[in-house]
């Protein structure tokens, strides 16, 4: 099996390292940073560079860069991709990249599906990548044809060496709607939370709650800004929802309204129990 990885940051680097744990898999890599690319080859994360000369030999190509860069890469390389190749992007949003991917795949004859590995880290870059990042994780995929069992099985086999335990199938729009809540909103809330003037005094007064809420405040600003703006419609809906909810808590506290405040807190507790089954 031959796999091409475009982008060797946290996600792409971890994918490359995971595939290279199998001696039967050849990995070609591409990255705009030549130092990263060279280090990936020296360290054994990739066998060689992904180029116009070997791109057609890939059984699978995973694109692990931001959506706009992924679109540019696909448009510049689509005609070189062989018809037997399955291309999977790993972008954080799906609508724009899937629209372009499906169109180019139909035009040039290769197979394309949108993808999003449900694993990550608050740190980024190749130096923080690791081969077990996706072990036990889920992979979300967005195929053009929702119930193509043959394609789904093929994707499962191609991704098996990475360590995913499940594949979730959805549409591009539903992915972006859900990810605005499960991932993007959490990063905004965490990032805003640590801007409190009190945050500088937290040492000695903080434990699990602080660590849990602030972990993802340590993010890649440029990457997440791109994702928030690309998914702005769903992000604004989630922000409006949480701002409205916070306003209710604030009002109850300001009015010294214990009954309402207790009810709001109990509603949240019950909601957590309902959605997580605990």
């Amino acid at each position: 099996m031959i796999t091409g990885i475009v982008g060797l940051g946290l996600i792409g680097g971890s994918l490359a390292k995971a595939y290279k744990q199998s001696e039967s898999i050849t990995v070609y890599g591409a990255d705009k940073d030549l130092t990263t690319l060279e280090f990936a080859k020296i360290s054994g994360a990739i066998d060689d560079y992904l180029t116009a000369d070997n791109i057609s030999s890939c059984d699978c190509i995973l694109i692990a860069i931001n959506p706009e860069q992924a679109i540019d890469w696909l448009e510049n390389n689509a005609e070189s991709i062989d018809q037997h190749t399955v291309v999977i992007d790993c972008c954080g949003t799906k609508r724009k990249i899937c629209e372009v991917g499906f169109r180019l795949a139909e035009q040039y004859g290769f197979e394309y599906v949108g993808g999003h590995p449900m694993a990550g880290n608050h740190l980024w870059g190749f130096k923080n990548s690791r081969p077990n990042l996706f072990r036990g994780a889920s992979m979300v995929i967005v195929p053009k044809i929702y119930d193509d069992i043959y394609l789904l099985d093929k994707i499962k086999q191609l991704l098996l060496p990475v360590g995913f335990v499940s594949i979730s199938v959805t549409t591009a729009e539903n992915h972006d709607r859900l990810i605005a809540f499960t991932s993007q909103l959490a990063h905004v809330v965490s990032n805003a939370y640590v801007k409190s003037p009190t945050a500088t005094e937290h040492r000695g007064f903080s434990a699990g709650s602080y660590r849990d809420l602030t972990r993802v405040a340590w993010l890649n600003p440029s990457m997440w800004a791109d994702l928030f703006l690309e998914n702005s419609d769903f992000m604004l809906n989630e922000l409006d929802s949480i701002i409205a909810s916070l306003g209710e808590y604030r009002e109850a506290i300001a009015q010294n309204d214990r009954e309402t405040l207790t009810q709001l807190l109990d509603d949240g507790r019950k909601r957590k129990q309902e959605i997580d089954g605990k």
Side-chain angles (χ1 to χ4, degrees):
M1 176 176 166
I2 300 176
T3 301
I5 310 288
V6 181
L8 295 172
L10 174 68
I11 301 300
S14 296
L15 288 168
K17 291 176 180 179
Y19 278 112
K20 280 309 298 173
Q21 288 191 311
S22 172
E23 294 182 358
S24 63
I25 299 177
T26 298
V27 177
Y28 297 138
D31 195 278
K32 65 180 181 180
D33 186 283
L34 294 180
T35 300
T36 296
L37 190 59
E38 291 171 2
F39 186 75
K41 185 176 180 180
I42 292 171
S43 66
I46 62 173
D47 294 285
D48 209 339
Y49 306 146
L50 181 65
T51 68
D53 294 329
N54 60 30
I55 192 172
S56 63
S57 68
C58 293
D59 299 296
C60 179
I61 296 175
L62 292 141
I63 307 174
I65 48 183
N66 73 40
E68 290 299 325
Q69 292 174 340
I71 288 171
D72 288 343
W73 189 90
L74 273 174
E75 290 178 335
N76 292 330
N77 293 278
E79 62 181 346
S80 300
I81 300 173
D82 191 78
Q83 293 188 2
H84 87 285
T85 304
V86 177
V87 178
I88 307 172
D89 83 83
C90 298
C91 299
T93 57
K94 296 270 73 81
R95 284 175 288 178
K96 287 185 179 179
I97 181 64
C98 283
E99 180 182 356
V100 173
F102 291 144
R103 173 175 56 81
L104 291 174
E106 183 175 359
Q107 180 178 351
Y108 292 101
F110 59 88
E111 196 72 63
Y112 165 84
V113 295
H116 191 175
M118 293 291 98
N121 198 310
H122 60 283
L123 302 176
W124 63 91
F126 181 79
K127 65 180 181 180
N128 293 302
S129 62
R130 61 181 194 270
N132 63 348
L133 181 65
F134 309 108
R135 192 170 299 159
S138 173
M139 177 69 164
V140 177
I141 63 167
V142 178
K144 186 174 183 180
I145 301 175
Y146 193 82
D147 58 353
D148 187 336
I149 302 302
Y150 171 77
L151 174 61
L152 296 182
D153 184 66
K154 186 176 183 179
I155 292 168
K156 183 177 181 180
Q157 296 306 314
L158 290 170
L159 295 176
L160 192 62
V162 179
F164 294 111
V165 295
S166 65
I167 291 178
S168 300
V169 183
T170 188
T171 63
E173 182 165 357
N174 193 52
H175 168 278
D176 289 358
R177 179 181 65 84
L178 291 173
I179 218 71
F181 170 72
T182 61
S183 177
Q184 295 179 346
L185 180 64
H187 283 76
V188 168
V189 170
S190 179
N191 198 266
Y193 173 75
V194 295
K195 292 179 180 178
S196 167
T198 316
T200 59
E201 306 171 55
H202 83 86
R203 289 178 178 81
F205 294 84
S206 59
S209 298
Y210 174 83
R211 289 194 300 270
D212 291 345
L213 188 52
T214 60
R215 182 181 66 83
V216 293
W218 200 341
L219 45 67
N220 182 332
S222 179
M223 181 192 80
W224 282 100
D226 288 342
L227 294 173
F228 295 156
L229 293 175
E230 182 149 335
N231 208 27
S232 61
D233 52 350
F234 289 127
M235 272 296 290
L236 289 173
N237 288 339
E238 294 297 339
L239 284 168
D240 288 345
S241 176
I242 196 170
I243 289 169
S245 292
L246 288 172
E248 293 178 350
Y249 290 92
R250 188 193 188 287
E251 180 65 16
I253 293 170
Q255 297 300 321
N256 198 32
D257 186 346
R258 188 180 190 283
E259 181 179 354
T260 299
L261 181 58
T262 302
Q263 185 62 57
L264 288 170
L265 293 169
D266 195 45
D267 289 344
R269 180 191 64 82
K270 290 177 179 176
R271 183 62 171 158
K272 171 65 174 176
Q273 184 178 34
E274 174 190 339
I275 59 178
D276 288 343
K278 294 180 182 180

